[in-house]
């Protein structure tokens, strides 16, 4: 029978439930268990696809085209789990499903209530993940903070799970804050006590507490937390602030968190010390041999989570090259005001990420021009690729009015235009080109050298594409179209031959990068930034 671990959070938000869940998944996976993870989000939106990055942060896309919470990115980076649309459920999805069934008459005249109908739908979705994944252990992260009214149906469903599946098959982990009051030089346990008390009022007794803290917890403090929260002392896990999130699996491993979980479930598995992770990931993050500065030129720079997967993928590229990647976050609107030279003159590589809308586009185009003319290694992603095409069309081909129809419907040279099938779509939610698509790569191209294969599969999230009417014109001027979606003949990759490393892609490679397996595009981008004269590597 599948074992179920529910991860809740208390005291304040942003304590890192997603990274904690992913780290637990990692240490259990290393013990030889098949693990998957799920995120339950309390917001009423059906998915985050229509939400502003300033509201939600990054929208993570799975292979099957689901727009999901960014925590699923942590899950896939830390573990081998292959996630789908089933691995993220929102209040909007749950209520939508129940109301749709009620409208069809499926409930045969019954009064529809939160209990049992909403909670049953939540439980069914969790069981569906267990069924589809065939995992031995599933970690279910409940978004929000204990005490939030929005999270109550999910917490109630979690409570019922122990009744349905048996106490030996369900475990509750609560992530909480143990603040340090610097003026008094004291660690305070009262917020944790109150948080656990609120959880117990709901009917859930946590089996394990993970305590976020900036100072070490003494044995006395652990004993106090254990006594007042009714949790065994060895199950009070300290989670101090660390230099890198990739240290967290080691922190949990040192405190035998995996053993505590396995003992609860009466499971026996192989031993593991996470030596490869420690040597090939953590050691390289903490003690890199080189250093490189990369500019990320975006329009949502003010929010750390807006480009979460991109920042992590850059770090992964650094790990592979044994280098520390210093990320310089540049607002594209600042480039419009101050110029590219002033803001990008001190970097060794320039990356332009995806985005929507016309704000800041002029700054991104200037950043592309600066990278192209100054021979600075460049990587464009999604909108970054479109900006590269616009810049080349304007400044090399002489099409001064070249643009995307997203930004100017009346442009004389629509080098980027709306997909034909998108013209008939009225709604915004879940209607973009989403998920994994094949891409055929041309031989002898930079992309072929980077990937080491002719056919790749990458994840997409966009509505606009390169206008194929301009392909021959741009090719004559030196822009190479090295990757194409075979069935639809859509341009996926463009590059410049007369440049150390200039490549831009319509898809989102950042979603498939891992700390112990850097995505090829990021791996070679960082290599080029470190030394543009070194040829592309092709590790087996």
């Amino acid at each position: 029978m599948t074992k179920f671990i529910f991860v809740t959070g208390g005291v304040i938000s942003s304590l890192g439930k997603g990274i904690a869940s992913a780290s637990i998944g990692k240490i259990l996976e290393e013990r030889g268990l098949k693990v998957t993870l799920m995120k339950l989000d309390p917001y009423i939106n059906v998915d985050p696809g229509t939400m502003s990055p300033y509201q939600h942060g990054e929208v993570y896309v799975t292979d099957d085209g689901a727009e999901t919470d960014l925590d699923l990115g942590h899950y896939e980076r830390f573990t081998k789990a292959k996630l789908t649309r089933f691995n993220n459920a929102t209040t909007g999805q749950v209520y939508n499903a129940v109301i749709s069934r009620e409208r069809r008459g499926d409930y045969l005249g019954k009064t529809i209530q939160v209990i049992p109908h909403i909670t049953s739908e939540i439980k069914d979705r969790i069981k569906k993940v267990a069924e589809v994944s065939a995992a031995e252990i599933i970690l279910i992260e409940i978004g929000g903070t204990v005490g939030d009214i929005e999270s109550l149906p999910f917490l109630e469903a979690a409570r019922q799970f122990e009744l349905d599946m048996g106490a030996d098959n369900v475990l509750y982990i609560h992530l909480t804050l143990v603040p340090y009051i610097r003026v008094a030089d004291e660690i305070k346990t009262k917020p944790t006590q109150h948080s656990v008390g609120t959880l117990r009022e709901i009917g859930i007794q946590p089996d394990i507490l993970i305590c976020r803290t900036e100072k070490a917890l003494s044995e006395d403090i652990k004993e106090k937390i254990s006594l007042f929260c009714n949790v065994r002392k060895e199950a009070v896990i300290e989670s101090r602030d660390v230099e890198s999130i990739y240290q967290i699996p080691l922190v949990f491993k040192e405190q035998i968190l995996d053993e505590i979980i396995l003992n609860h479930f009466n499971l026996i598995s192989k031993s593991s010390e996470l030596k490869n992770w420690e040597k090939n990931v953590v050691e390289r993050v903490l003690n890199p041999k080189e250093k490189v500065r990369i500019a990320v030129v975006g329009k949502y720079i003010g929010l750390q989570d807006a480009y979460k997967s991109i920042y992590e993928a850059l770090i992964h590229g650094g790990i592979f090259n044994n280098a520390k990647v210093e990320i310089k976050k540049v607002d594209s609107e600042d480039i419009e005001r101050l110029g590219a030279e002033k803001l990008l003159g001190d970097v060794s590589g320039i990356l332009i990420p995806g985005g929507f809308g016309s704000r800041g586009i002029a700054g991104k185009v200037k950043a592309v021009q600066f990278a192209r003319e100054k021979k600075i290694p460049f990587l464009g992603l999604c909108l970054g690729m479109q900006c590269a095409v616009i810049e080349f069309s304007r400044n090399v081909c002489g099409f001064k009015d070249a643009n995307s129809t997203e930004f100017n419907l009346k442009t004389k040279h629509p080098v980027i235009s709306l997909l034909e099938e998108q013209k008939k779509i009225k709604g915004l939610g879940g209607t973009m080109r989403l998920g994994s698509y094949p891409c055929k790569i041309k031989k002898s191209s930079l992309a072929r050298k980077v990937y080491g294969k002719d056919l790749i599969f990458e994840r997409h999230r966009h509505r606009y594409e390169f206008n194929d009417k301009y392909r021959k014109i741009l090719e004559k001027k030196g822009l190479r179209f090295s990757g194409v979606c075979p069935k639809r003949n859509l341009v996926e990759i463009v590059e410049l031959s007369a440049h150390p490393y200039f490549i831009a892609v319509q898809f989102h490679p950042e979603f498939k990068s891992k700390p112990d397996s850097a995505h090829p595009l990021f791996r070679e981008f960082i290599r080029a930034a470190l030394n543009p004269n070194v040829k592309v590597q092709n590790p087996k």
Side-chain angles (χ1 to χ4, degrees), residues 30-252:
E30 288 291 311
R31 297 294 298 265
L33 296 163
K34 185 174 183 182
V35 174
T36 194
L37 301 98
M38 183 180 189
K39 177 71 182 291
L40 302 177
D41 276 308
Y43 52 74
I44 299 176
N45 303 66
V46 172
D47 61 44
T50 58
M51 296 168 70
S52 164
Y54 289 113
Q55 286 280 314
H56 181 270
E58 171 188 84
V59 175
Y60 189 79
V61 178
T62 57
D63 275 343
D64 64 345
E67 295 176 288
T68 71
D69 186 79
L70 60 84
D71 279 324
L72 272 74
H74 294 311
Y75 305 161
E76 286 201 332
R77 283 189 284 273
F78 277 74
T79 72
K80 297 174 184 175
K82 301 295 183 184
L83 306 184
T84 69
R85 62 182 65 254
F86 297 118
N87 293 83
N88 192 192
T90 69
T91 294
Q93 291 173 11
V94 170
Y95 273 82
N96 188 49
V98 172
I99 291 170
S100 294
R101 284 200 292 272
E102 186 275 330
R103 291 289 83 188
R104 289 197 305 265
D106 293 1
Y107 295 109
L108 300 175
K110 291 180 181 177
T111 300
I112 310 306
Q113 297 175 293
V114 173
I115 303 171
H117 301 97
I118 296 299
T119 52
S120 292
E121 174 67 19
I122 294 168
K123 290 189 293 182
D124 287 344
R125 285 172 177 257
I126 295 170
K127 293 171 184 175
K128 180 69 174 178
V129 171
E131 176 190 337
V132 170
S133 66
E136 294 167 275
I137 293 181
I138 173 172
L139 286 120
I140 306 103
E141 177 193 347
I142 300 178
T145 306
V146 169
D148 295 346
I149 192 169
E150 295 94 340
S151 302
L152 287 175
F154 292 113
L155 293 167
E156 171 59 21
R159 182 194 70 80
Q160 292 176 20
F161 237 86
E162 189 174 64
L163 297 176
D164 296 347
M165 312 304 291
D168 291 342
N169 298 312
V170 178
L171 181 140
Y172 300 104
I173 297 177
H174 190 54
L175 181 66
T176 183
L177 177 68
V178 180
Y180 169 64
I181 309 301
R182 196 171 299 277
V183 175
D185 191 28
E186 287 183 340
I187 290 175
K188 293 296 183 180
T189 66
K190 192 64 72 175
T192 294
Q193 294 176 41
H194 282 301
S195 181
V196 172
T198 302
L199 194 60
R200 292 169 71 182
E201 286 176 6
I202 295 168
I204 296 175
Q205 167 61 53
D207 301 291
I208 296 170
L209 289 180
I210 297 178
C211 301
R212 285 294 311 273
T213 175
E214 61 177 291
K215 294 202 72 175
L217 301 181
S218 66
E219 292 301 307
D220 288 344
I221 291 292
K222 287 188 176 183
E223 286 177 3
K224 185 176 181 181
I225 292 172
S226 170
L227 178 64
F228 283 91
C229 296
N230 195 33
V231 175
R232 288 178 299 137
K233 182 183 172 184
E234 62 269 25
V236 177
I237 306 297
E238 175 185 298
S239 182
R240 253 186 294 175
D241 297 342
V242 288
E243 191 173 333
S244 168
I245 59 174
Y246 300 121
Q247 293 174 259
I248 297 175
L250 299 178
V251 170
F252 288 168

